[in-house]
Amino acid sequence: MNENIEAINLRVQALRAAIELHNYRYYVLDNPTLPDAEYDRLFHELQQLELDYPHLITASSPTQRVGAVPLSAFSQISHRLPMLSLNNAFDAAEVEAFDRRVREGLGAACVEYAVEPKFDGLAVSLCYENGIFKTGATRGDGNTGEDITLNLKTIKSIPLSLPVAHPPSILEVRGEVLMLKADFLKLNQRQLARGEKEFANPRNAAAGSLRQLDPGITANRRLTFFAYGIGLHDDAQMPTDTHSQVLNYLGRLHFPVARECRVVSGLQSLLDYFDAIAMQRERLPYAIDGVVYKVNALAQQEKLGFVSRAPRFAVAHKFPAEEAVTELLAIDVQVGRTGALTPVARLKPVFVGGVTVTNATLHNAGEIERKNVRIGDTVIVRRAGDVIPEIVSVIVEKRPANAHIFVMPASCPVCGAKAVRLDGEAVSRCTGGLFCPAQRKQAILHFASRRAMDIEGLGGKLVDQIVDQAIVRTPADLYRLGIAALANVERMADKSANNVIAAIESSKSTTLARFIYALGIRNVGEATAKDLAAHLGSMDRLMQASSEQLMQVPDIGPIVAQSIVDFFAEAHNREVIEQLRACGVHWDEHAGISASAGVVSPLNGKTFVLTGTLPTMSREEAKEKIEALGGKVTGSVSKKTDYVVVGVDPGSKYDKAMHLGVAILDESGLASLLGSSTILNE
Ligand code: 9MJ
């Protein structure tokens, strides 16, 4: 019986060795020598023996890669030697500076480097005790990481036991876990088929898979590991001369090591290696974001040492923007917060700059013309860093016969209002500013802003919430808001809800200039709004004014005039204005300067300076009234000042006015001047 058990134990060990060897050939060397069916047979035989003789099961048996129960949280693991980070170089000059520092540090004319691809994955440390994989951890803060042992065990290219007769008692192996591009694409297809979210790039997919508390999920996402260094060890076999020897040794221990690792000498060879890997990048089976240069001699590494957490002997040379070729399937139009219509290219998904890109901005119709882009074209897409992908150019030779020209829509795809492209402007814009859903937040924020309706407390966060919850759709809805609706908004205390309601209520009493400005008409800023109010004097006159009439107002040219006409041509905009009035928003109207044919306001073109506190009017109020009648308010007194309006406790402006002989008014003097203009105009 004992003999029998001994024989079974030997068989179990032989099966494990054969299975692990096959894993190595299959997953690391990519060169299987055993048919799949034979592998399955060995695996089943081992499973059956372990079922019959459970005491023979060990944690490092290949049957134990999967099957652990989910964890409730990851525990922490301290790295026995800290995990380093690398400094980056973004161009040849920075690499040159790195090489110079290294040469100066070593007093050497030319240095030998081990060069490697820089994997875009997750750094991990694997700890082997007496040749058995015991624990594995993320990099964490470099000193302490998360214990992801069970997940790492599911990665078939990580050996569970070291294939050596006399393993070291301790060996930490450092490297990167990643998902091969092919596995990433398959995973995303599966996610799509199951109606689950696709991953943006292989790095995210690898991270998402590795940080699963359920190793069963990790096991279903094929991950890969590449070793690039060691931590603490007492391995007598470990080479002591060079980094490249260490990598070769790790390879002999059956760890995957990048095939592209090389040993080179001198700065130029670093840059050549960078160029060579950049050329191969697209075709490499894994995502990389640069290359790594490490001083090869370990004695030299030690001599150079570290600056904080990063070694002086190594640098990561990162890739710049990346480009790829794909097909432009369609051009959609998006409407931005300000009403700008932006054409967006829908692309056949393409892997570029580390992510799968499906859309690219085309900016505007002019850009489409300039780049000669047609729907159906083969295009070069660029994604540099984290910026929005863009179309670089068209490969005209590949244009299919049915490629067609894009035409900018005449109406807003969101609200249906007329879309216009003004002379001299690159973009088309939606004219439905007050009701277009795409522009709601922006329109309401602007409407409430201090220089417009001045509704205190109605800021970005609150507007986000009331619009997202469909409590408010247009500025008019603000005046129909009840406390109850506001109190429902998250984190809104009763007191602040009351304050906002009070601020909305008091904003009802405003000036025509503020109201015009608040409408957010394209090209109508505060100064233009004041000019319009002063010269037209009433909302109805503004709404009915033709482009020619508007151009009678000083400083208003054809572009501004057209923007105004377009805005009021939208029935929905006019409706919102009617609703605002119906809700009680009001202002003083007057006949206006232009309208009062021949009669000139005594304030028109006159310059005023205000000083001291006026008894009943606020400074702002006085300023608005003066400006509404064509006067100008400036900050300092000069010979050109026509009137200085003096209140209580006037400043030095009063003395200066006396000195220069400028006319001085008190509040009642100003009031009669303002009043006389009304009389004149009536
Ligand atoms: C990557 N990410 O491929 C290192 N790395 O060396 C390579 N990272 C590294 N080496 C020391 N190839 C710290 C990090």
Side-chain angles (χ1 to χ4, degrees), residues 84-86 116-119 176 228 292 294:
L84 310 175
S85 55
L86 294 173
E116 322 168 352
K118 184 175 184 302
F119 299 109
E176 203 95 347
Y228 54 61
V292 183
K294 296 175 181 168

Side-chain angles (χ1 to χ4, degrees), residues 609-614 616-626 633-635 645 647-651 653 667 670:
V609 172
L610 306 173
T611 178
T613 311
L614 300 179
T616 68
M617 257 188 257
S618 75
R619 271 263 199 127
E620 193 58 24
E621 225 176 305
K623 183 167 182 260
E624 279 174 2
K625 287 188 171 164
I626 293 166
V633 178
T634 66
V645 183
V648 182
D649 289 336
K653 288 171 192 168
E667 190 187 278
L670 174 65

Side-chain angles (χ1 to χ4, degrees), residues 83-86 115-123 139 174-176 178 226-229 243 247 258 261 288-294 309 311 313-314 316:
M83 287 184 78
L84 310 175
S85 55
L86 294 173
V115 294
E116 322 168 352
K118 184 175 184 302
F119 299 109
D120 197 8
L122 290 108
R139 182 178 180 281
R174 303 288 166 73
E176 203 95 347
L178 46 88
F226 281 94
Y228 54 61
H243 178 69
L247 292 183
C261 293
I288 59 172
D289 56 350
V291 295
V292 183
Y293 310 136
K294 296 175 181 168
R309 197 46 70 66
F313 56 79

Side-chain angles (χ1 to χ4, degrees), residues 366-378:
E367 166 124 341
I368 294 177
E369 273 167 46
R370 229 178 1 264
K371 290 188 173 161
N372 183 19
V373 176
R374 309 241 174 113
I375 297 159
D377 269 338
T378 296

